[in-house]
Amino acid sequence: MNLALLKSSEPSDILLDIRMPDVDGLTVLRQIQTLPAAPHVAMLTTFDTDEYILTALRSGASGFLLKDTEPEQLVPLVRTLAAGGVVMSPKASRALLRSHPGAGAPQDADVARLGQLSDRERDVLVLIAEGLSNADIGTRIRLSAGTVKDHVSSILTKLRVTSRVQAALLAERAGLLSHNEDDDAARDNGR
C-alpha cells in the first residue's frame, strides 16, 4: 500500500484486506489513520478465526465485511461507509459477538446506562448488535430509516459510545442478546 498515492488521490472510503501478502492490513490501517483527512476504512476478512477484527475496530476501522458478502448487500454497506457509518456484515457481527462475548469489557456503570434507553431504543440496540443496517432495522420493526437513525444517535449518546460496534459490545456484555442457535435459525428461516 502506497501512502503517497493515498495522499495524492485522497479517497474518502477504502475497503482494506486485513491480510495481504506483503504487509499486514492493520499496519496499513494505522498508517492511514495518521493522514490529515483519513478516509473511512472497512476491513475485509474471511473471518474464519481472525483474531485481528477487534484490533482493527479499535484502531479506527469503520467496520468489517466478509469477503463472501453478496453483491446486493455490498452496495448498501459501502454507501453506509461513505456516509460515515459503521458497516458490519450481519454474519460477521453475530460471529464477533459469539467469539468475543466479553470484548470491550465495559464497567458496570457502562452497563447501567442501558437503563436510560426506552424500550424501542433497546429493540434497536439489539438489532444493531445483530449487524442490521438502519434500513433493515426499520423494515424489521416498521420504522422509517430516518427514525431509526434518530434512535441510533440517541442510543450512542445515552450509552456514551462512539460507534455501533461499541454499542453492540455493550449490549452483549449486558446480556441483551440471545446466543441460542435454535433462535438464530428460527429467526433466519422467518425472513
Side-chain angles (χ1 to χ4, degrees):
M1 177 67 74
N2 185 333
L3 280 181
L5 177 63
L6 281 177
K7 287 179 184 178
S8 66
S9 62
E10 297 182 357
S12 60
D13 310 290
I14 296 176
L15 298 179
L16 180 64
D17 197 336
I18 205 162
R19 293 187 181 168
M20 297 181 283
D22 296 329
V23 65
D24 176 358
L26 294 173
T27 300
V28 174
L29 173 63
R30 287 184 196 105
Q31 292 172 346
I32 290 171
Q33 294 303 314
T34 66
L35 296 174
H40 306 113
V41 179
M43 304 303 289
L44 296 171
T45 182
T46 56
F47 200 82
D48 294 330
T49 56
D50 206 329
E51 301 164 5
Y52 301 110
I53 292 172
L54 282 175
T55 303
L57 295 172
R58 290 177 180 149
S59 296
S62 296
F64 57 92
L65 303 172
L66 295 178
K67 290 181 182 178
D68 65 354
T69 299
E70 296 296 326
E72 62 272 5
Q73 293 176 334
L74 188 59
V75 171
L77 290 170
V78 171
R79 284 186 179 136
T80 299
L81 178 68
V86 174
V87 295
M88 296 174 57
S89 296
K91 288 190 318 189
S93 63
R94 283 195 295 266
L96 173 66
L97 292 171
R98 282 192 190 115
S99 67
H100 297 84
Q107 302 298 320
D108 290 343
D110 294 335
V111 172
R113 282 196 283 278
L114 288 169
Q116 299 175 25
L117 300 180
S118 69
D119 289 341
R120 179 58 84 187
E121 288 169 339
R122 278 180 179 256
D123 294 342
V124 170
L125 177 59
V126 169
L127 296 174
I128 288 170
E130 287 183 19
L132 298 181
S133 67
N134 287 356
D136 290 338
I137 292 170
T139 299
R140 178 84 65 91
I141 60 177
R142 296 186 176 99
L143 293 174
S144 73
T147 300
V148 172
K149 183 178 177 182
D150 291 342
H151 282 308
V152 171
S153 178
S154 177
I155 290 166
L156 297 180
T157 299
K158 288 179 180 179
L159 296 181
R160 297 182 194 162
V161 296
T162 59
S163 74
R164 293 168 72 105
V165 173
Q166 291 172 336
L169 292 171
L170 185 55
E172 167 64 26
R173 172 82 169 146
L176 295 181
L177 308 178
S178 168
H179 295 297
N180 184 327
E181 294 292 329
D182 295 333
D183 290 347
D184 288 343
R187 184 172 41 252
D188 290 342
N189 289 334
R191 287 187 186 158

